[in-house]
Amino acid sequence: MDTPLIDLSTNKFKDVAVITINNPPVNALSPTVARGLAEAMEQADKDEGVSAIVLTGAGRTFVAGADIKEFGKITSGKSERGAGLNPLLRQIEDLSKPVVVAIHGNAFGGGLELAMACHYRVAAPNAQVGQPEVKLGIIPGAGGTQRLPRLVGVAKAVEMCAEGNPISAQEALQLGLVDRLIEGDLLTGAVAFAREVTTRPIPRTRERDGKLNLPDKTIFDAAREKARTKQRGQMAPLAAIDAVEGSTRLSFEEGSQQEQRVFRECLFSDQSKALIHAFFGEREVAKIPEIAKETPIIPVNSVAVVGAGTMGGGIAMVFANAGIHVLLKEADQAALDRGLATIQKNYQSSVKRGRFTQQFVDECLRRIKPTLTYDAFGEVDMVVEAVFEGMALKKEVFTQLDLVCQPGAILATNTSTLSIDEIASATSRPDAVIGTHFFSPANVMRLLEVVRGKSSSKQVIATCMQLSKKLGKVGVLVGNCRGFVGNRMFGPYRREAQFLAEEGAAIEAVDRVLYDFGMAMGPMATGDLAGLDVGWRIRKEYRHLEKPGVRQPFAEDRLCELGRFGQKTGAGWYKYDENRHATPDPEVAALVRKWAAEAEIPQRTISTDEIVDRCIYALVNEGARILEEGIALRAVDIDIIYLHGYGFPAYRGGPMWYANTVGLKKVYERICELCDRHGELWAPAPLLKQLADAGKTFADFGVDQAVTA
Ligand code: 3HC
Ligand code: NAI
């Protein structure tokens, strides 16, 4: 028999009824769970032998929130939300016997709202509580914006509801959100606590303080100001602030009604649908249909990183942060010293910013062992190569690795453009070779493209995908082609940005429009940050592959010829002061006009819409080709790459999701127009046409396509 969603079988404490929510993996509050809980509560309350009730969660966590899957059913009209969890919470709050909730793991979203409707809260010391709804583009929808300020005060409630970050059980205790921390067995402690409170009058959160005192009005203004900068473009944080503000103007009932209205508006918004797509997408990318869950994983307890430059140093930190020992190899002592000094500097700034403690950093540094030889490579489980980008050098390193590494070790390369298969051909074990494409700065950026070569074994792929989670990264499996997924799409995006500048758009206007679209930075500023010379060198290497007569951008190459490599040389598209603060450079604007005149490119006024369409649809069109070729498994994989590696706004769901929301027919037609005007670089991807003609979306494209090497 299946274990019931609501379990009363642990009711072994006689006078204290224990109700256990048992809905693996995270006890999400689906409508069925809510119904079961209502029945169990009623039954326990009626039972004369029971003097108090303890509510707990089975498995690894208390309750991670309302069931997010239900939201899609509601917005697509397949199900009705009604009053949501509110009637259940009201019922619990009104019970005649005290209800003590015992929190372990997380009480998030509806989970915390449920806990706040109970009369007392106890928690395991390592538990976390929070209202993360804004991260899904919604606001707390079961009284959170009204009960939380009554328990922790308005200022903290605004922060928690608007920013969505969890707090620790210790902080919750200090704030009065939790009544006691239980060391040792949580259930035993919760039952003992319940017995203590049976004779006390029952406290009901919603009845506390009636209408809350109007606090310092600047709290709300300051929160809005912060939301507008830190959560730029998002509507939910501002909506959450409004809802909490309601608790200072309205009664609990009226405040709750306002919350329901705002919750609904947010739930039906494109932003919420996009953020929910991103939430599930982040989890979906870990699932590779063709690789069974049971695939044995290679234990990775020690690694070696070859090259301590920009990437190698960051990658060494990523492993050390995850508790893995790292051998860090350089070509000579000076480069090794430089690399180690940068690592130390980066760690120190993390301590200064409060991200890490000095003790943690000391432990990490002890895990990184510098070396100039391959002598100890025979002992490591995995190697990540991060030497200069050049096939000859990469092959030389891999030939060496093949000689020194133990059988079964994973041989990974961090190359951003080169063929994994060609690198693998330098070894006698191409099945052990794979790409692990970290993004810069490697210790900060969450994306990891796991690049599968044609011979990479399933075991090696499965291990790298699992490892990405351990490293705090979002691993996305991609196929082997120039630029893989992210950089291959970024090429056309930055090409169009340059074309627009060459056709008359101001450089700052191109950046501003895409920033306003939601990108973390504009394309020109991004180029300056990464170094314009990187693309310039790659373009020179691949120039022979360019089709004669097809327009290519030239402004960036000319800037590089003038030594303007971006931030690192103090000048690129912009000029930079010693603090790397950018200002527009009239000299560059004049140069671009002059070059355009020489190339006889007609100058015109370019609209905001054209800037967005040309840059974003360039991503979409290339994304469609990538999908069709099987280089990405699913459209959502491309979206996740863009959200975590390229600063695409999460509230637009990623480029492919964005195209779905615009409508593929409309996108296709616009691309056809651009093709008529600008030529074959804009030839629409066949898959885009096919889906547009069929009235489908990228999400409809087969998930059964294998990622091909
Ligand atoms: N509803 C439905 N499914 C959920 C869920 C939820 N609230 N939370 C997690 N899941 C699913 C995940 O999709 C995943 O499914 P899969 O195994 O099929 O891929 C599975 O549970 C495990 O989740 P994770 O892989 O994320 O597990 P972790 O242990 O890494 O993380 C967690 C656990 C920190 C709880 C994380 O899952 C999380 O942050 N969950 C979402 C929390 C949240 O946003 N809650 C608010 C929901 S909205 C709400 O409550 C509205 C209310 O105000 C009315
Ligand atoms: P870098 O120039 O900063 O560092 C390369 C390091 O490799 C140098 O310190 C050099 O001394 C060392 N090295 C060269 N030969 C060596 C050898 N035989 N043994 C040990 N060390 C050796 O280069 P960066 O930027 O770190 O790039 C490394 C790799 O990562 C390249 O393949 C690059 O394409 C890729 N990459 C770079 C990104 C970036 O933004 N910089 C982003 C993603 C990937």
Side-chain angles (χ1 to χ4, degrees), residues 121-125 169-170 173 178-183:
R121 288 154 292 280
V122 299
Q170 280 79 10
L173 179 72
V178 159
D179 300 291
R180 184 178 292 172
L181 297 189
I182 308 280
E183 304 280 349

PDB file of all heavy atoms in Angstrom, residues 121-125 169-170 173 178-183:
ATOM      1  N   ARG A 121       5.925  27.558  16.606  1.00  0.00           N
ATOM      2  CA  ARG A 121       6.883  27.015  15.644  1.00  0.00           C
ATOM      3  C   ARG A 121       8.182  26.632  16.345  1.00  0.00           C
ATOM      4  O   ARG A 121       8.758  27.480  17.058  1.00  0.00           O
ATOM      5  CB  ARG A 121       7.205  28.067  14.558  1.00  0.00           C
ATOM      6  CG  ARG A 121       6.068  28.302  13.574  1.00  0.00           C
ATOM      7  CD  ARG A 121       6.093  29.668  12.948  1.00  0.00           C
ATOM      8  NE  ARG A 121       5.793  30.695  13.936  1.00  0.00           N
ATOM      9  CZ  ARG A 121       4.554  31.008  14.357  1.00  0.00           C
ATOM     10  NH1 ARG A 121       3.514  30.399  13.851  1.00  0.00           N
ATOM     11  NH2 ARG A 121       4.360  31.926  15.295  1.00  0.00           N
ATOM     12  N   VAL A 122       8.587  25.387  16.192  1.00  0.00           N
ATOM     13  CA  VAL A 122       9.918  24.995  16.670  1.00  0.00           C
ATOM     14  C   VAL A 122      10.695  24.499  15.454  1.00  0.00           C
ATOM     15  O   VAL A 122      10.102  24.097  14.448  1.00  0.00           O
ATOM     16  CB  VAL A 122       9.852  23.898  17.768  1.00  0.00           C
ATOM     17  CG1 VAL A 122       9.080  24.388  18.976  1.00  0.00           C
ATOM     18  CG2 VAL A 122       9.263  22.599  17.228  1.00  0.00           C
ATOM     19  N   ALA A 123      12.030  24.574  15.553  1.00  0.00           N
ATOM     20  CA  ALA A 123      12.801  24.238  14.350  1.00  0.00           C
ATOM     21  C   ALA A 123      14.117  23.571  14.700  1.00  0.00           C
ATOM     22  O   ALA A 123      14.683  23.799  15.780  1.00  0.00           O
ATOM     23  CB  ALA A 123      13.075  25.516  13.549  1.00  0.00           C
ATOM     24  N   ALA A 124      14.600  22.766  13.777  1.00  0.00           N
ATOM     25  CA  ALA A 124      15.952  22.207  13.889  1.00  0.00           C
ATOM     26  C   ALA A 124      16.929  23.365  13.641  1.00  0.00           C
ATOM     27  O   ALA A 124      16.629  24.265  12.853  1.00  0.00           O
ATOM     28  CB  ALA A 124      16.140  21.113  12.844  1.00  0.00           C
ATOM     29  N   PRO A 125      18.097  23.348  14.288  1.00  0.00           N
ATOM     30  CA  PRO A 125      19.018  24.495  14.174  1.00  0.00           C
ATOM     31  C   PRO A 125      19.462  24.780  12.743  1.00  0.00           C
ATOM     32  O   PRO A 125      19.794  25.910  12.416  1.00  0.00           O
ATOM     33  CB  PRO A 125      20.203  24.079  15.043  1.00  0.00           C
ATOM     34  CG  PRO A 125      19.685  23.026  15.948  1.00  0.00           C
ATOM     35  CD  PRO A 125      18.567  22.332  15.235  1.00  0.00           C
ATOM     36  N   ALA A 169      17.357  29.407  10.891  1.00  0.00           N
ATOM     37  CA  ALA A 169      16.498  29.169  12.057  1.00  0.00           C
ATOM     38  C   ALA A 169      16.922  30.078  13.212  1.00  0.00           C
ATOM     39  O   ALA A 169      16.076  30.567  13.965  1.00  0.00           O
ATOM     40  CB  ALA A 169      16.599  27.702  12.464  1.00  0.00           C
ATOM     41  N   GLN A 170      18.244  30.338  13.338  1.00  0.00           N
ATOM     42  CA  GLN A 170      18.723  31.211  14.421  1.00  0.00           C
ATOM     43  C   GLN A 170      18.129  32.612  14.279  1.00  0.00           C
ATOM     44  O   GLN A 170      17.650  33.198  15.245  1.00  0.00           O
ATOM     45  CB  GLN A 170      20.262  31.339  14.404  1.00  0.00           C
ATOM     46  CG  GLN A 170      21.000  30.172  15.019  1.00  0.00           C
ATOM     47  CD  GLN A 170      21.058  28.984  14.046  1.00  0.00           C
ATOM     48  OE1 GLN A 170      20.703  29.105  12.874  1.00  0.00           O
ATOM     49  NE2 GLN A 170      21.468  27.836  14.540  1.00  0.00           N
ATOM     50  N   LEU A 173      14.550  32.652  15.102  1.00  0.00           N
ATOM     51  CA  LEU A 173      14.341  32.632  16.553  1.00  0.00           C
ATOM     52  C   LEU A 173      14.464  34.051  17.121  1.00  0.00           C
ATOM     53  O   LEU A 173      13.614  34.504  17.889  1.00  0.00           O
ATOM     54  CB  LEU A 173      15.371  31.703  17.205  1.00  0.00           C
ATOM     55  CG  LEU A 173      15.299  31.594  18.726  1.00  0.00           C
ATOM     56  CD1 LEU A 173      14.064  30.796  19.132  1.00  0.00           C
ATOM     57  CD2 LEU A 173      16.560  30.915  19.288  1.00  0.00           C
ATOM     58  N   VAL A 178      10.259  31.927  15.051  1.00  0.00           N
ATOM     59  CA  VAL A 178      10.345  30.578  15.604  1.00  0.00           C
ATOM     60  C   VAL A 178      10.394  30.735  17.128  1.00  0.00           C
ATOM     61  O   VAL A 178      11.020  31.653  17.646  1.00  0.00           O
ATOM     62  CB  VAL A 178      11.608  29.874  15.053  1.00  0.00           C
ATOM     63  CG1 VAL A 178      12.036  28.726  15.928  1.00  0.00           C
ATOM     64  CG2 VAL A 178      11.360  29.381  13.622  1.00  0.00           C
ATOM     65  N   ASP A 179       9.698  29.822  17.832  1.00  0.00           N
ATOM     66  CA  ASP A 179       9.646  29.955  19.290  1.00  0.00           C
ATOM     67  C   ASP A 179      10.782  29.239  19.997  1.00  0.00           C
ATOM     68  O   ASP A 179      11.180  29.615  21.082  1.00  0.00           O
ATOM     69  CB  ASP A 179       8.302  29.397  19.800  1.00  0.00           C
ATOM     70  CG  ASP A 179       7.145  30.168  19.195  1.00  0.00           C
ATOM     71  OD1 ASP A 179       6.978  31.345  19.560  1.00  0.00           O
ATOM     72  OD2 ASP A 179       6.456  29.620  18.310  1.00  0.00           O
ATOM     73  N   ARG A 180      11.286  28.178  19.393  1.00  0.00           N
ATOM     74  CA  ARG A 180      12.377  27.445  20.059  1.00  0.00           C
ATOM     75  C   ARG A 180      13.161  26.649  19.017  1.00  0.00           C
ATOM     76  O   ARG A 180      12.569  26.104  18.070  1.00  0.00           O
ATOM     77  CB  ARG A 180      11.807  26.483  21.103  1.00  0.00           C
ATOM     78  CG  ARG A 180      12.886  25.773  21.901  1.00  0.00           C
ATOM     79  CD  ARG A 180      12.302  24.865  22.959  1.00  0.00           C
ATOM     80  NE  ARG A 180      11.637  25.599  24.033  1.00  0.00           N
ATOM     81  CZ  ARG A 180      10.910  25.028  24.996  1.00  0.00           C
ATOM     82  NH1 ARG A 180      10.776  23.699  25.008  1.00  0.00           N
ATOM     83  NH2 ARG A 180      10.328  25.745  25.935  1.00  0.00           N
ATOM     84  N   LEU A 181      14.474  26.566  19.223  1.00  0.00           N
ATOM     85  CA  LEU A 181      15.288  25.657  18.403  1.00  0.00           C
ATOM     86  C   LEU A 181      15.437  24.361  19.178  1.00  0.00           C
ATOM     87  O   LEU A 181      15.646  24.383  20.389  1.00  0.00           O
ATOM     88  CB  LEU A 181      16.668  26.247  18.118  1.00  0.00           C
ATOM     89  CG  LEU A 181      16.730  27.539  17.299  1.00  0.00           C
ATOM     90  CD1 LEU A 181      18.161  27.857  16.921  1.00  0.00           C
ATOM     91  CD2 LEU A 181      15.872  27.432  16.037  1.00  0.00           C
ATOM     92  N   ILE A 182      15.332  23.259  18.469  1.00  0.00           N
ATOM     93  CA  ILE A 182      15.424  21.960  19.149  1.00  0.00           C
ATOM     94  C   ILE A 182      16.721  21.282  18.732  1.00  0.00           C
ATOM     95  O   ILE A 182      16.904  20.933  17.563  1.00  0.00           O
ATOM     96  CB  ILE A 182      14.232  21.046  18.750  1.00  0.00           C
ATOM     97  CG1 ILE A 182      12.885  21.747  18.945  1.00  0.00           C
ATOM     98  CG2 ILE A 182      14.320  19.694  19.440  1.00  0.00           C
ATOM     99  CD1 ILE A 182      12.324  21.792  20.322  1.00  0.00           C
ATOM    100  N   GLU A 183      17.617  21.109  19.672  1.00  0.00           N
ATOM    101  CA  GLU A 183      18.816  20.315  19.416  1.00  0.00           C
ATOM    102  C   GLU A 183      18.399  18.860  19.585  1.00  0.00           C
ATOM    103  O   GLU A 183      17.510  18.566  20.376  1.00  0.00           O
ATOM    104  CB  GLU A 183      19.914  20.642  20.443  1.00  0.00           C
ATOM    105  CG  GLU A 183      20.318  22.107  20.527  1.00  0.00           C
ATOM    106  CD  GLU A 183      21.282  22.535  19.426  1.00  0.00           C
ATOM    107  OE1 GLU A 183      21.805  21.637  18.730  1.00  0.00           O
ATOM    108  OE2 GLU A 183      21.469  23.748  19.250  1.00  0.00           O
TER     109      GLU A 183
END
